[in-house]
Amino acid sequence: MELDAMPQLSARALAASSNGVLIADARQPSCPIVYANPAFCRMTGYTLDELLGRNCRFLQGEDREQAAVAVLRQAIARGEDAHVVLRNYRKDGSLFWNDLFLSPVPDQDGALAHYIGIVNDITELKEREERLAFHSTHDKLTGLPNRTLFTDRLQQALLQAQRHGGQLALLCIGIDNYAFVNESLGHAGGDQLLAGAAERLRASVRDDDTVALLGGNEFVVILSAVSSPSDAVAVCETIFAALAPAFTLQGQQVHASASIGIVFSPQDGRDGATLLRYADMALTRARELGGAHYQFFASEMNHRTLERIGMEAALRLAVFRDELQLRYQPLADLRSGAVASLEALVRWQHPALGLIPAQRFVPVAEEAGLIGAIGAWVLRRACHDMRTWLDAGLAPLRVAINVSPKQCRDRQFTAQLAATLDEFGLPPSALALEITEAALPQDAAAGPEQLQLLEPLRALGVPLVLDDFGTGYSSLSNLKRYPFDAVKIDCAFIRDIVSDSGDAALSKTIISMAHLLGMQVVAEGVESEAQCDFLRRHSCDLIQGYFFAAPLAPDEVQALLREDRRLPPHLLRVQKQQRTLLLVDDEQNIVSALKRLLRRDDYQIHTANSGAEGLDVLARHAVDVIVSDQRMPGMLGADFLRKAKELYPDTVRIMLSGYTELQSVTDAVNEGAIYKFLTKPWEDEQLRGHIAEAFRLKEIADENERLNLELRTVNHELASANRRLEEVLRQKQQQISRDEISLNVARELLQYLPLPVIGMDDQGMIAFVNAAADHLFRRGGALLGNEACVVLPELFPAEDGFRAMSAGGRRAPGTHEAEIEGARYAVDVYPMGASSTSRGSLITLSRTEEKT
């Protein structure tokens, strides 16, 4: 190559290079650009004319305090090579990262003449590095600081607060319905909710506060420099307001709320780990309050947590140390008054804390994964005690045990239950399983597999009881969808059943509804005669509670059963009671006179001197007729009778007064609170007649109620019978379906068997011919439906009894030989029905030898 061509080739190479190249004149003080290749022009956005004559530092704009600029200046001053990375700015103002190699070029005399710069645009590389660095310290979904960066910022905030003697607050925030959104709208909906909540939380705090996402749906906020708890409360209220507007998730409008736990430093803790732990405790307490609450940390929370941790550790040993015990609470039948069954209640005999009830340790067991082991222990101990009572000569008595949701969903539980019953020689009906609604699917669109959750238990023959009905989800459809034999009204509704009209109405509705579905009704927590009497009058079947008996040890159960303890006769559902009268008057001489007058009529008489005392008597005794004065201190007679009508509508109410406050009395009469108004002084016989008429009216109503009760009892029994028949029919239909499947499989198997097979019914008619037999006898015409000995005489030689068998006789299996189509066959007969309900016979033919 000629040397004259080198400059031209070099110029072309520079122009074609993808690297930016520039040349600056070092002989001039401003070092102006004298050359820039096209790549450098594209990189900066400037044309060559716009670059020529300018110093390169104009590309740095106002950003000239970079460390790399100082390095570059030092290299130029020494006349040395330099390699730096600079932040430069294009003509449009956008940033680009410039990887610059700068070299000095001397002239022929060795004097510095030019600088040559080789420039690479590494903007994408720097941005990628920044993204990686950002994601290492921030959550990808929300862009908030992650745990690593949060921990660092919390440590800095704590040091700053300690240095200046200030305090900070830490908020732990949980989105209340995040799990629901995840389940209903999927993880994409949950992610949208978290991203939207993060944006609103950032807008709710100051710029120098930190919002971070630690994982799941829990955010944390560091509030620096708070002066009082009210500052944190103000931020909580701002957060609640920010989250209040609906979020648009997957095209749906969804509302969200938050629960917030609050801790302060240094009051609650001086290190980040402790503050986070305490804030999480406070958040848990806020969620227990129902969500959309904030809760300050209190030292008692830590005590409860430590107690729970200690209880869990001790509970793990309790199962193996045999520290658990069973107590049995009887259920009394309101028709007979006798003990109908027992409920097994587990207790923990703690070495230090004494006897601990189930409600204290069962939730801990569920969270710790110990409920399965405890449930298995309860099952075995209950079966052991039942076996002991039977061996002691006591009559069989059903025992109910509580089954956890985890046990219900365990596919091995039914087999475990059956094996335990078999081990102790108990029938399935000896045990009942009490299941809460928490164990049942709450989705109305639950699939068939979920709806058949209890089918294996039902098929085993174990009665099922829906426990604590009225609490939790209280899904009325569960009464219809699942095969329960009984329903238990929760004690929360029984506690005020005689004084709260709402509880009374709900209880009556549950009783009526369950009876229509053929279920028994048990009332839990019955502690007074008044409660028992209310339940008796409204057709409840069984009661359970301290009124009849407290939970008993196994030996105490034996004593109770031998004693044959029963409810008193007046608390049974069907009875005839003595006429009971209540006299209410603030004048004692009036009360005494009325008692003397009415004593001859053989009434059981109760008295009271005020409306309040009258209500107290009504709460303690069943009363048929009330006679009340109008003018009494504290409560007018009309108001007392109104209240009596509301609480005890079956009573007949009479007012006997010397004062006629027309409006009050008229209103009471019109409202139905007063049956008759009589005046003082009275005429003895007339008053006795009015009261006797009131009792006759009450007895007619009682008789109607008795007949209604008997009708409802019969309807309940019919509904129960229908329910049992439906269950039997369903099981039969399932068995038929299974039998049909088995029959079809057997038919298909025989059809393709290469051995000729013929089936006969018990009358000797051919009912089945497989393909091999049909092919063998194809020349004989149709076989099905014909008498076998007629169409296949070669198979039934008269001398050995086969012909008699084909005509309906039964005989033991046998074999003979027959000649068919020139070949010898062994003919084997197999009578059916020896080990099944099948009837008829099967004939098989196997070839022995060819005819010679």
Side-chain angles (χ1 to χ4, degrees), residues 761-779:
D761 64 16
D762 55 356
Q763 298 300 317
M765 305 298 289
I766 297 177
F768 173 78
V769 179
N770 75 345
D774 187 61
H775 178 75
L776 181 62
F777 296 104
R778 62 187 179 279
R779 297 182 181 178

Side-chain angles (χ1 to χ4, degrees), residues 101-360:
F101 292 86
L102 187 69
S103 294
V105 179
D107 60 12
Q108 294 178 349
D109 299 327
L112 181 63
H114 296 88
Y115 288 104
I116 295 178
I118 308 299
V119 179
N120 289 309
D121 185 348
I122 61 169
T123 304
E124 290 186 4
L125 176 62
K126 295 294 288 186
E127 288 177 348
R128 190 181 309 115
E129 290 176 351
E130 289 176 354
R131 284 196 299 271
L132 290 173
F134 181 84
H135 289 152
S136 68
T137 56
H138 290 76
D139 175 65
K140 291 183 179 180
L141 174 65
T142 63
L144 295 177
N146 61 13
R147 183 178 291 273
T148 302
L149 181 56
F150 165 78
T151 302
D152 181 64
R153 290 191 180 177
L154 179 58
Q155 183 63 27
Q156 293 178 23
L158 288 170
L159 291 174
Q160 185 78 4
Q162 292 171 9
R163 188 175 299 117
H164 296 91
Q167 65 175 349
L168 64 80
L170 186 66
L171 311 183
C172 192
I173 304 169
I175 305 301
D176 293 327
N177 52 341
Y178 173 74
F180 170 76
V181 171
N182 250 354
E183 292 172 3
S184 57
L185 299 180
H187 291 293
D191 288 348
Q192 282 184 306
L193 177 59
L194 287 181
E199 185 177 348
R200 297 186 188 186
L201 288 174
R202 268 194 296 254
S204 301
V205 300
R206 299 168 299 187
D207 292 339
D208 54 348
D209 295 328
T210 296
V211 181
L213 180 64
L214 296 192
N217 68 320
E218 290 190 6
F219 298 88
V220 285
V221 177
I222 304 172
L223 299 179
S224 57
V226 293
S227 59
S228 67
S230 61
D231 293 342
V233 170
V235 174
C236 291
E237 297 294 349
T238 302
I239 290 173
F240 290 152
L243 295 176
F247 292 82
T248 302
L249 310 176
Q250 302 290 295
Q252 302 288 327
Q253 295 293 305
V254 177
H255 288 273
S257 62
S259 299
I260 305 176
I262 309 171
V263 292
F264 292 93
S265 178
Q267 297 93 317
D268 298 323
R270 294 179 177 271
D271 64 278
T274 300
L275 290 174
L276 270 177
R277 184 160 58 89
Y278 288 173
D280 194 59
M281 291 180 189
L283 172 60
T284 300
R285 177 55 183 154
R287 282 175 164 160
E288 291 172 354
L289 296 175
H293 285 81
Y294 60 81
Q295 180 68 44
F296 291 98
F297 170 78
S299 58
E300 293 79 9
M301 297 179 186
N302 191 39
H303 295 329
R304 286 198 299 269
T305 302
L306 294 175
E307 180 184 348
R308 183 204 170 283
I309 294 172
M311 180 176 286
E312 178 182 330
L315 190 56
R316 290 185 182 277
L317 298 174
V319 179
F320 303 102
R321 291 177 176 174
D322 201 26
E323 294 175 358
L324 300 179
Q325 299 180 5
L326 278 190
R327 295 289 186 267
Y328 297 91
Q329 189 165 35
L331 280 69
D333 191 324
L334 284 172
R335 285 178 291 188
S336 66
V339 176
S341 61
L342 304 167
E343 180 184 359
L345 304 171
V346 63
R347 299 289 186 263
W348 178 15
Q349 187 63 51
H350 193 282
L353 302 177
L355 198 64
I356 302 176
Q359 57 266 30
R360 280 191 60 191

Side-chain angles (χ1 to χ4, degrees), residues 3 194 284 376 548 665:
L3 294 176
L194 287 181
T284 300
F548 183 73
V665 174

Side-chain angles (χ1 to χ4, degrees), residues 446-608:
E449 183 177 349
Q450 288 180 301
L451 294 178
Q452 293 173 4
L453 182 70
L454 305 179
E455 285 300 320
L457 297 171
R458 186 66 173 174
L460 183 63
V462 177
L464 303 177
V465 180
L466 181 58
D467 195 13
D468 297 335
F469 187 75
T471 62
Y473 296 101
S474 301
S475 174
L476 299 180
S477 62
N478 284 336
L479 290 179
K480 178 182 178 182
R481 288 196 294 171
Y482 295 99
F484 290 107
D485 298 277
V487 59
K488 298 184 80 170
I489 305 175
D490 188 72
C491 58
F493 295 98
I494 303 302
R495 186 179 302 112
D496 299 319
I497 199 170
V498 296
S499 58
D500 188 297
S501 57
D503 286 348
L506 284 171
S507 299
K508 289 189 287 186
T509 300
I510 294 172
I511 293 170
S512 177
M513 185 168 47
H515 282 172
L516 289 174
L517 292 172
M519 302 177 190
Q520 282 195 316
V521 182
V522 183
E524 294 184 294
V526 178
E527 299 183 355
S528 70
E529 181 173 318
Q531 294 169 340
C532 182
D533 185 63
F534 177 93
L535 294 163
R536 170 196 69 80
R537 288 186 283 110
H538 293 94
S539 305
C540 186
D541 300 294
L542 305 167
I543 65 161
Q544 177 182 353
Y546 280 78
F547 173 68
F548 183 73
L552 306 171
D555 55 342
E556 294 173 322
V557 171
Q558 287 197 43
L560 176 80
L561 297 178
R562 295 188 188 284
E563 174 192 335
D564 192 24
R565 184 186 303 177
R566 293 174 179 261
L567 288 169
H570 71 276
L571 291 177
L572 302 185
R573 278 171 51 172
V574 178
Q575 58 182 293
K576 182 172 178 61
Q577 292 180 299
Q578 183 181 7
R579 290 178 166 184
T580 305
L581 175 67
L582 171 61
L583 303 175
V584 184
D585 200 305
D586 60 323
E587 297 184 42
Q588 188 58 46
N589 60 328
I590 298 292
V591 173
S592 300
L594 288 172
K595 287 181 67 177
R596 287 193 301 272
L597 172 65
L598 300 172
R599 187 174 292 121
R600 71 184 83 171
D601 295 317
D602 196 27
Y603 300 141
Q604 181 179 0
I605 299 176
H606 299 286
T607 63

